[in-house]
Coordinates of all heavy atoms in Angstrom, one line a residue:
K1 N 0.8 -1.2 0.0 CA 0.0 0.0 0.0 C 0.9 1.2 0.0 O 1.9 1.3 0.7 CB -0.9 0.0 1.2 CG -1.9 1.1 1.2 CD -2.9 0.9 2.4 CE -3.8 2.1 2.4 NZ -4.8 2.2 3.4
K2 N 0.5 2.3 -0.8 CA 1.2 3.5 -0.9 C 1.0 4.4 0.4 O 0.0 4.3 1.0 CB 0.8 4.2 -2.1 CG 1.2 3.6 -3.4 CD 0.9 4.5 -4.6 CE 1.5 3.8 -5.8 NZ 1.3 4.7 -7.0
K3 N 2.1 5.1 0.6 CA 2.1 6.1 1.8 C 1.0 7.1 1.5 O 0.8 7.6 0.4 CB 3.4 6.7 1.9 CG 3.5 7.8 2.9 CD 4.9 8.5 2.8 CE 5.0 9.7 3.5 NZ 4.2 10.8 3.0
M4 N 0.3 7.4 2.6 CA -0.7 8.5 2.4 C 0.0 9.8 2.3 O 1.0 10.1 2.9 CB -1.6 8.6 3.7 CG -3.0 8.5 3.4 SD -4.1 8.8 4.8 CE -3.4 8.0 6.2
S5 N -0.6 10.7 1.4 CA 0.1 12.0 1.2 C -0.1 12.9 2.4 O -1.0 12.7 3.2 CB -0.5 12.6 -0.1 OG -1.8 13.2 0.3
D6 N 0.7 14.0 2.5 CA 0.6 14.9 3.6 C -0.7 15.6 3.6 O -1.3 15.9 4.6 CB 1.7 15.9 3.5 CG 3.1 15.4 3.8 OD1 3.2 14.3 4.4 OD2 4.1 15.9 3.4
S7 N -1.3 15.8 2.3 CA -2.5 16.5 2.2 C -3.7 15.7 2.9 O -4.6 16.3 3.5 CB -2.9 16.9 0.8 OG -2.9 15.8 -0.1
V8 N -3.6 14.4 2.6 CA -4.6 13.5 3.2 C -4.5 13.6 4.8 O -5.6 13.6 5.5 CB -4.6 12.0 2.7 CG1 -5.5 11.1 3.4 CG2 -4.8 12.0 1.2
T9 N -3.3 13.4 5.3 CA -3.1 13.5 6.7 C -3.6 14.8 7.3 O -4.3 14.8 8.3 CB -1.6 13.4 7.0 OG1 -1.2 12.1 6.5 CG2 -1.4 13.4 8.5
T10 N -3.4 15.9 6.6 CA -3.9 17.3 7.0 C -5.3 17.3 7.0 O -6.0 17.8 8.0 CB -3.3 18.4 6.1 OG1 -1.9 18.4 6.2 CG2 -3.8 19.8 6.5
I11 N -6.0 16.8 6.0 CA -7.4 16.8 5.9 C -8.0 16.0 7.1 O -9.0 16.5 7.8 CB -7.9 16.2 4.6 CG1 -7.5 17.1 3.4 CG2 -9.4 15.9 4.6 CD1 -7.7 16.4 2.1
E12 N -7.5 14.9 7.4 CA -8.0 14.1 8.6 C -7.8 14.8 9.8 O -8.6 14.8 10.7 CB -7.2 12.7 8.5 CG -7.7 11.8 7.3 CD -6.9 10.5 7.3 OE1 -5.8 10.4 7.9 OE2 -7.4 9.6 6.6
E13 N -6.5 15.4 10.1 CA -6.3 16.0 11.3 C -7.2 17.3 11.5 O -7.7 17.5 12.6 CB -4.8 16.5 11.4 CG -3.9 15.4 11.5 CD -2.4 15.8 11.3 OE1 -2.1 16.9 10.9 OE2 -1.5 14.9 11.5
Q14 N -7.4 18.0 10.5 CA -8.2 19.2 10.5 C -9.7 18.9 10.7 O -10.4 19.5 11.4 CB -8.0 20.1 9.3 CG -6.7 20.8 9.3 CD -6.3 21.6 10.5 OE1 -7.1 22.3 11.0 NE2 -5.0 21.5 10.9
F15 N -10.1 17.7 10.1 CA -11.5 17.3 10.3 C -11.7 16.9 11.8 O -12.8 17.3 12.3 CB -11.8 16.1 9.4 CG -13.2 15.6 9.5 CD1 -14.3 16.3 8.9 CD2 -13.5 14.5 10.2 CE1 -15.6 15.9 9.0 CE2 -14.8 14.0 10.3 CZ -15.9 14.8 9.8
A16 N -10.8 16.2 12.4 CA -10.9 15.9 13.7 C -11.0 17.1 14.6 O -11.7 17.2 15.6 CB -9.7 15.0 14.2
A17 N -10.1 18.1 14.3 CA -10.1 19.3 15.0 C -11.4 20.0 14.9 O -11.9 20.6 15.9 CB -8.9 20.2 14.6
W18 N -11.9 20.1 13.7 CA -13.2 20.7 13.4 C -14.3 20.1 14.2 O -15.1 20.8 14.8 CB -13.5 20.7 12.0 CG -14.9 21.1 11.7 CD1 -15.5 22.4 11.7 CD2 -16.0 20.3 11.5 NE1 -16.7 22.4 11.6 CE2 -17.2 21.1 11.4 CE3 -16.2 18.9 11.4 CZ2 -18.5 20.6 11.1 CZ3 -17.4 18.3 11.2 CH2 -18.5 19.2 11.0
K19 N -14.3 18.8 14.3 CA -15.4 18.1 15.0 C -15.4 18.5 16.5 O -16.5 18.8 17.1 CB -15.3 16.6 14.9 CG -15.8 16.1 13.6 CD -15.7 14.6 13.4 CE -15.8 13.7 14.5 NZ -15.8 12.2 14.1
V20 N -14.2 18.5 17.1 CA -14.1 18.9 18.5 C -14.6 20.4 18.7 O -15.3 20.6 19.6 CB -12.6 18.7 19.0 CG1 -12.4 19.3 20.4 CG2 -12.3 17.3 19.0
E21 N -14.0 21.3 18.0 CA -14.3 22.7 18.1 C -15.8 23.0 17.8 O -16.4 23.8 18.4 CB -13.4 23.5 17.3 CG -12.0 23.5 17.7 CD -11.6 23.8 19.1 OE1 -12.4 24.5 19.8 OE2 -10.6 23.2 19.7
D22 N -16.3 22.3 16.7 CA -17.8 22.5 16.4 C -18.7 22.1 17.5 O -19.7 22.8 17.8 CB -18.1 21.8 15.1 CG -19.4 22.2 14.5 OD1 -19.5 23.5 14.2 OD2 -20.3 21.4 14.3
A23 N -18.4 21.0 18.2 CA -19.1 20.6 19.3 C -19.1 21.6 20.4 O -20.2 21.9 21.1 CB -18.7 19.2 19.8
K24 N -17.9 22.1 20.7 CA -17.8 23.2 21.7 C -18.6 24.4 21.3 O -19.3 25.0 22.2 CB -16.3 23.6 21.9 CG -15.5 22.5 22.6 CD -14.0 23.1 22.7 CE -13.1 22.0 23.2 NZ -11.7 22.4 23.1
F25 N -18.6 24.8 20.0 CA -19.3 25.9 19.6 C -20.8 25.7 19.7 O -21.5 26.6 20.2 CB -19.0 26.2 18.1 CG -19.8 27.4 17.6 CD1 -19.5 28.7 17.9 CD2 -20.8 27.1 16.6 CE1 -20.2 29.7 17.4 CE2 -21.5 28.1 16.1 CZ -21.3 29.4 16.5
I26 N -21.2 24.6 19.4 CA -22.7 24.2 19.5 C -23.2 24.3 21.0 O -24.2 24.7 21.3 CB -23.0 22.8 18.9 CG1 -22.9 23.0 17.4 CG2 -24.4 22.3 19.3 CD1 -22.9 21.6 16.7
A27 N -22.2 23.9 21.8 CA -22.5 24.0 23.3 C -22.5 25.4 23.9 O -22.8 25.6 25.0 CB -21.5 23.2 24.1
G28 N -22.1 26.4 23.1 CA -22.1 27.8 23.5 C -20.8 28.5 23.6 O -20.8 29.7 24.0
N29 N -19.7 27.8 23.3 CA -18.4 28.5 23.4 C -18.1 29.2 22.1 O -17.8 28.7 21.0 CB -17.3 27.4 23.6 CG -15.9 28.0 23.7 OD1 -15.6 29.0 23.3 ND2 -15.0 27.2 24.3
A30 N -18.2 30.6 22.1 CA -18.1 31.4 20.9 C -16.7 31.3 20.3 O -16.5 31.3 19.1 CB -18.5 32.8 21.2
A31 N -15.7 31.3 21.2 CA -14.3 31.2 20.7 C -14.0 29.9 19.9 O -13.2 30.0 19.0 CB -13.3 31.3 21.9
A32 N -14.7 28.9 20.3 CA -14.6 27.6 19.5 C -15.0 27.8 18.1 O -14.5 27.1 17.2 CB -15.3 26.5 20.2
G33 N -15.9 28.7 17.8 CA -16.4 28.8 16.4 C -15.3 29.4 15.6 O -15.2 29.0 14.4
T34 N -14.4 30.3 16.1 CA -13.3 30.7 15.4 C -12.4 29.6 15.0 O -11.9 29.5 13.9 CB -12.6 31.8 16.2 OG1 -13.5 32.9 16.5 CG2 -11.4 32.4 15.5
R35 N -12.1 28.8 16.0 CA -11.2 27.6 15.8 C -11.8 26.6 14.8 O -11.1 26.1 14.0 CB -10.8 27.0 17.2 CG -10.0 27.8 18.1 CD -9.5 27.1 19.3 NE -10.6 26.6 20.1 CZ -11.2 27.3 21.1 NH1 -10.8 28.5 21.4 NH2 -12.1 26.8 21.9
A36 N -13.1 26.4 14.9 CA -13.8 25.5 13.9 C -13.6 26.1 12.5 O -13.3 25.3 11.6 CB -15.2 25.4 14.3
R37 N -13.8 27.4 12.3 CA -13.7 28.0 11.0 C -12.3 27.9 10.5 O -12.0 27.6 9.3 CB -14.2 29.5 11.0 CG -15.7 29.6 11.3 CD -16.1 31.0 11.4 NE -15.9 31.6 10.0 CZ -15.2 32.7 9.8 NH1 -14.5 33.2 10.8 NH2 -15.1 33.2 8.7
K38 N -11.3 28.0 11.4 CA -9.9 27.9 11.0 C -9.6 26.5 10.5 O -9.0 26.3 9.5 CB -8.9 28.3 12.2 CG -7.5 28.2 11.8 CD -6.6 28.6 13.0 CE -5.2 28.7 12.5 NZ -4.5 27.6 12.6
A39 N -10.1 25.5 11.2 CA -9.9 24.1 10.8 C -10.5 23.9 9.4 O -10.0 23.2 8.6 CB -10.5 23.1 11.9
L40 N -11.7 24.4 9.2 CA -12.4 24.3 7.9 C -11.6 24.9 6.8 O -11.4 24.3 5.7 CB -13.8 24.9 7.9 CG -14.8 24.1 8.8 CD1 -16.1 24.9 8.9 CD2 -15.1 22.8 8.1
G41 N -11.0 26.1 7.1 CA -10.2 26.8 6.1 C -8.9 26.0 5.7 O -8.5 25.9 4.6
E42 N -8.3 25.4 6.7 CA -7.1 24.5 6.5 C -7.5 23.3 5.7 O -6.7 22.8 4.9 CB -6.5 24.2 7.8 CG -5.8 25.3 8.6 CD -4.8 26.0 7.9 OE1 -3.9 25.4 7.2 OE2 -4.7 27.3 7.9
M43 N -8.6 22.7 6.1 CA -9.2 21.5 5.3 C -9.3 21.9 3.8 O -9.0 21.2 2.9 CB -10.5 21.1 5.8 CG -10.3 19.9 6.7 SD -11.8 19.0 7.1 CE -13.1 20.1 7.2
S44 N -9.9 23.1 3.6 CA -10.2 23.6 2.3 C -8.9 23.6 1.4 O -8.8 23.2 0.3 CB -10.9 24.9 2.3 OG -11.1 25.4 1.0
K45 N -7.8 24.2 2.0 CA -6.6 24.3 1.4 C -6.0 22.9 1.1 O -5.5 22.6 -0.1 CB -5.5 25.1 2.2 CG -5.8 26.5 2.4 CD -4.7 27.1 3.3 CE -5.3 28.3 4.0 NZ -4.2 28.8 5.0
A46 N -6.0 22.0 2.0 CA -5.6 20.7 1.8 C -6.3 19.9 0.8 O -5.7 19.1 0.0 CB -5.5 19.9 3.1
I47 N -7.6 20.2 0.7 CA -8.5 19.5 -0.2 C -8.1 19.9 -1.7 O -8.0 19.1 -2.6 CB -10.0 19.8 0.0 CG1 -10.4 19.0 1.3 CG2 -10.9 19.4 -1.1 CD1 -11.7 19.4 1.8
K48 N -7.8 21.2 -1.9 CA -7.4 21.7 -3.2 C -6.1 21.1 -3.6 O -5.9 20.7 -4.7 CB -7.3 23.2 -3.2 CG -8.6 23.9 -3.1 CD -8.5 25.4 -3.0 CE -9.9 26.0 -2.9 NZ -9.8 27.4 -2.5
V49 N -5.2 20.9 -2.6 CA -3.8 20.3 -2.9 C -4.1 18.9 -3.3 O -3.6 18.3 -4.4 CB -2.9 20.3 -1.7 CG1 -1.7 19.5 -1.9 CG2 -2.5 21.8 -1.4
R50 N -4.9 18.1 -2.6 CA -5.2 16.7 -2.9 C -5.9 16.5 -4.2 O -5.5 15.6 -5.0 CB -6.0 16.0 -1.8 CG -6.2 14.6 -1.9 CD -4.9 13.8 -1.9 NE -5.1 12.4 -2.2 CZ -4.3 11.7 -2.8 NH1 -3.1 12.2 -3.2 NH2 -4.5 10.5 -3.2
R51 N -6.8 17.4 -4.6 CA -7.4 17.4 -5.9 C -6.4 17.4 -7.0 O -6.4 16.7 -8.0 CB -8.5 18.5 -6.1 CG -9.8 18.2 -5.3 CD -10.7 19.4 -5.4 NE -10.8 19.8 -6.8 CZ -11.8 19.6 -7.6 NH1 -12.9 19.0 -7.1 NH2 -11.9 19.9 -8.9
N52 N -5.4 18.4 -6.8 CA -4.4 18.5 -7.8 C -3.5 17.3 -7.9 O -3.0 16.9 -8.9 CB -3.5 19.8 -7.5 CG -4.3 21.0 -7.8 OD1 -5.3 21.0 -8.6 ND2 -3.9 22.1 -7.2
E53 N -3.2 16.7 -6.7 CA -2.4 15.4 -6.7 C -3.1 14.3 -7.5 O -2.4 13.6 -8.1 CB -2.1 15.0 -5.3 CG -1.2 15.9 -4.4 CD -1.2 15.6 -3.0 OE1 -2.0 14.7 -2.5 OE2 -0.3 16.2 -2.3
I54 N -4.3 14.2 -7.2 CA -5.1 13.1 -7.9 C -5.1 13.4 -9.4 O -4.9 12.4 -10.2 CB -6.6 13.1 -7.3 CG1 -6.5 12.5 -5.8 CG2 -7.5 12.2 -8.2 CD1 -7.8 12.7 -5.1
T55 N -5.3 14.6 -9.8 CA -5.4 14.9 -11.3 C -4.0 14.6 -11.8 O -3.9 14.0 -13.0 CB -5.7 16.4 -11.5 OG1 -7.0 16.6 -10.9 CG2 -5.7 16.7 -12.9
A56 N -2.9 15.0 -11.2 CA -1.6 14.7 -11.8 C -1.3 13.2 -11.8 O -0.8 12.8 -12.9 CB -0.6 15.4 -10.8
E57 N -1.7 12.5 -10.8 CA -1.5 11.0 -10.8 C -2.3 10.4 -12.0 O -1.8 9.6 -12.7 CB -1.9 10.4 -9.5 CG -1.8 8.9 -9.4 CD -0.3 8.4 -9.6 OE1 0.6 9.1 -9.2 OE2 -0.2 7.2 -10.0
K58 N -3.6 10.8 -12.1 CA -4.5 10.3 -13.1 C -3.9 10.5 -14.5 O -3.8 9.6 -15.4 CB -5.9 10.9 -13.0 CG -6.9 10.4 -14.0 CD -8.2 11.1 -13.9 CE -7.9 12.5 -14.4 NZ -9.1 13.3 -14.9
N59 N -3.4 11.8 -14.7 CA -2.8 12.1 -16.0 C -1.5 11.3 -16.3 O -1.3 10.9 -17.4 CB -2.5 13.6 -16.1 CG -3.8 14.4 -16.2 OD1 -4.9 13.8 -16.5 ND2 -3.7 15.7 -15.8
A60 N -0.7 11.1 -15.3 CA 0.5 10.3 -15.4 C 0.2 8.9 -15.8 O 0.9 8.2 -16.6 CB 1.4 10.4 -14.0
R61 N -0.8 8.3 -15.1 CA -1.3 6.9 -15.4 C -1.7 6.8 -16.8 O -1.4 5.9 -17.6 CB -2.3 6.5 -14.5 CG -1.8 6.2 -13.0 CD -3.0 5.8 -12.2 NE -2.6 5.7 -10.8 CZ -3.4 5.5 -9.8 NH1 -4.7 5.4 -10.1 NH2 -3.0 5.4 -8.6
K62 N -2.5 7.8 -17.3 CA -3.0 7.8 -18.6 C -1.9 8.0 -19.6 O -1.8 7.2 -20.6 CB -4.0 9.0 -18.8 CG -4.7 9.0 -20.1 CD -5.7 10.2 -20.1 CE -6.5 10.2 -21.4 NZ -7.5 11.3 -21.4
A63 N -0.8 8.8 -19.4 CA 0.3 9.0 -20.2 C 1.1 7.7 -20.3 O 1.6 7.3 -21.4 CB 1.1 10.1 -19.8
A64 N 1.3 7.0 -19.2 CA 2.0 5.7 -19.1 C 1.4 4.6 -20.0 O 2.1 3.8 -20.6 CB 2.2 5.3 -17.7
K65 N 0.1 4.6 -20.0 CA -0.7 3.7 -20.8 C -0.5 3.8 -22.3 O -0.5 2.9 -23.1 CB -2.1 3.6 -20.5 CG -2.5 2.9 -19.2 CD -4.0 2.9 -19.0 CE -4.4 2.2 -17.7 NZ -5.8 2.3 -17.5
T66 N -0.4 5.1 -22.8 CA -0.3 5.4 -24.1 C 1.1 5.2 -24.7 O 1.3 5.3 -25.9 CB -0.7 6.9 -24.5 OG1 0.1 7.8 -23.7 CG2 -2.2 7.0 -24.0
K67 N 2.0 4.9 -23.9 CA 3.4 4.7 -24.4 C 3.7 3.3 -24.8 O 3.1 2.4 -24.3 CB 4.5 5.1 -23.3 CG 4.5 6.6 -23.2 CD 5.7 7.0 -22.1 CE 5.7 8.5 -22.0 NZ 6.7 8.9 -21.0

């Protein structure tokens, strides 16, 4: 099995952080809302990176088949 990319690890870590902070926010902790939004922003960046990684890998596989 291939090593998970850093972007996948970041997405998972930020998702876990978001879940914790979102629960605190729902319980009434306003500051946790800021931390939840930060985690979502970091996830968004990592998701864009991962999308590009997948596209690059897909194109590389397609190019390898045509040779």
Side-chain angles (χ1 to χ4, degrees):
K1 187 175 175 180
K2 290 187 177 182
K3 174 188 167 291
M4 234 188 319
S5 75
D6 290 341
S7 58
V8 173
T9 303
T10 300
I11 293 165
E12 290 174 341
E13 289 170 351
Q14 293 301 323
F15 182 75
W18 168 77
K19 282 179 33 177
V20 169
E21 297 304 333
D22 194 55
K24 290 179 188 176
F25 176 71
I26 290 169
N29 181 338
T34 301
R35 293 188 297 272
R37 291 180 66 241
K38 182 175 189 279
L40 289 170
E42 294 299 320
M43 260 194 328
S44 178
K45 290 180 208 171
I47 287 167
K48 287 176 185 169
V49 169
R50 184 63 187 145
R51 284 178 47 106
N52 290 336
E53 290 171 350
I54 290 169
T55 300
E57 177 67 23
K58 183 183 70 156
N59 291 340
R61 289 177 186 173
K62 188 175 181 182
K65 281 184 180 179
T66 60
K67 288 186 178 177

